[in-house]
Amino acid sequence: MMKTILILLLFPIFSIAQNKKEMGKDFVEGLYNTDKIEKSYSYLDPSITNKFDLNQLKKTLTNVETQFGNFKTILEINNEDNTYYYYCEFDKTKIDMMITFNNSSKIAGFYYVPHKSFTDKKLK
């Protein structure tokens, strides 16, 4: 009985983590797909979208592609609390996109950072 209660209590936490993981994956992949970039943009918190419109995002991504090359794939996904690290492969480099989620499961920030190694906790 206690095991059942514990599982029921932990299931919502696991579901939220899975949703954020998948949302972040969709966000990253959608950024580099012209048919899905608007969906990626919809994942952003209003604190970002009020200052950074879709056209500015597209211009920024053009600069990213100039520097890193074309996006190929996500190699691995790791997380710490509400921050997820998507290890991305581009033509010219491999780098993490660090995505932080707020309490409403909206993306509150995303940045390219040097790859952070996670030895014992991989989500992918």
Side-chain angles (χ1 to χ4, degrees):
M1 178 73 170
M2 281 300 275
K3 287 182 183 180
T4 303
I5 292 171
L6 182 60
I7 289 170
L8 290 175
L9 290 174
L10 293 177
F11 183 74
I13 294 168
F14 179 73
S15 292
I16 290 169
Q18 285 295 107
N19 289 340
K20 287 179 181 177
K21 174 190 163 194
E22 290 303 315
M23 183 186 307
K25 183 175 185 280
D26 286 347
F27 174 77
V28 173
E29 292 172 342
L31 287 177
Y32 302 101
N33 181 329
T34 54
D35 294 334
K36 296 182 180 179
I37 192 167
E38 289 183 26
K39 181 178 179 187
S40 289
Y41 187 76
S42 74
Y43 291 137
L44 297 173
D45 183 76
S47 65
I48 296 173
T49 58
N50 289 339
K51 298 174 187 169
F52 195 70
D53 68 26
L54 182 59
N55 288 328
Q56 289 172 301
L57 178 61
K58 289 177 181 179
K59 287 178 188 174
T60 301
L61 292 172
T62 300
N63 294 335
V64 168
E65 287 181 344
T66 299
Q67 184 175 358
F68 298 156
N70 291 321
F71 173 78
K72 290 184 175 182
T73 191
I74 296 172
L75 300 170
E76 67 183 48
I77 303 169
N78 297 288
N79 84 301
E80 291 178 328
D81 301 318
N82 282 328
T83 301
Y84 287 74
Y85 296 83
Y86 295 83
Y87 189 31
C88 299
E89 181 178 7
F90 293 85
D91 287 333
K92 299 178 186 176
T93 193
K94 295 176 185 170
I95 194 165
D96 281 345
M97 180 182 280
M98 182 178 79
I99 299 176
T100 302
F101 290 89
N102 63 19
N103 292 336
S104 302
S105 295
K106 287 288 206 174
I107 294 174
F110 64 99
Y111 315 92
Y112 294 98
V113 297
H115 179 58
K116 182 175 181 174
S117 180
F118 291 80
T119 55
D120 55 16
K121 189 166 145 181
K122 291 207 170 92
L123 292 178
K124 188 174 182 185

